Amino acid sequence: MSPLESRLHDALTDLFDRLESKADPAECLACFDRIDGVRREWGPQMPPQLAHYLDRRSYEKALAFLKNPSLPHQA
């Protein structure tokens, strides 16, 4: 996993953990900021399917893609 993939994976995982534990909304917003920051940093080199998921806020699909990009994912 590349450093950008790792950072995105960590941000997505943190978001789901915080949502599950009903954390302070500010903590969730910080996760969204991290996700958006990685998206901007990665830019046009990001795999198109992953960019599609992030642009549409399909974070569960984005995390599944990071775990196994070769599996077919439903858009």
Side-chain angles (χ1 to χ4, degrees):
M1 197 176 273
S2 75
L4 285 172
E5 289 172 319
S6 292
R7 286 181 33 219
L8 181 57
H9 180 276
D10 291 347
L12 289 166
T13 301
D14 286 349
L15 174 63
F16 290 126
D17 289 346
R18 292 177 196 294
L19 289 171
E20 186 176 316
S21 68
K22 298 182 183 353
D24 182 334
E27 293 179 24
C28 296
L29 288 175
C31 292
F32 289 125
D33 288 343
R34 288 172 48 207
I35 293 165
D36 290 343
V38 172
R39 172 70 178 99
R40 282 189 304 275
E41 185 177 342
W42 206 326
Q45 293 78 30
M46 178 177 275
Q49 192 66 41
L50 181 57
H52 169 84
Y53 294 146
L54 293 178
D55 291 345
R56 284 157 183 74
R57 306 283 190 210
S58 298
Y59 295 134
E60 289 177 349
K61 291 179 182 179
L63 188 57
F65 181 90
L66 287 171
K67 289 179 180 178
N68 193 345
S70 64
L71 286 179
H73 300 90
Q74 294 182 2

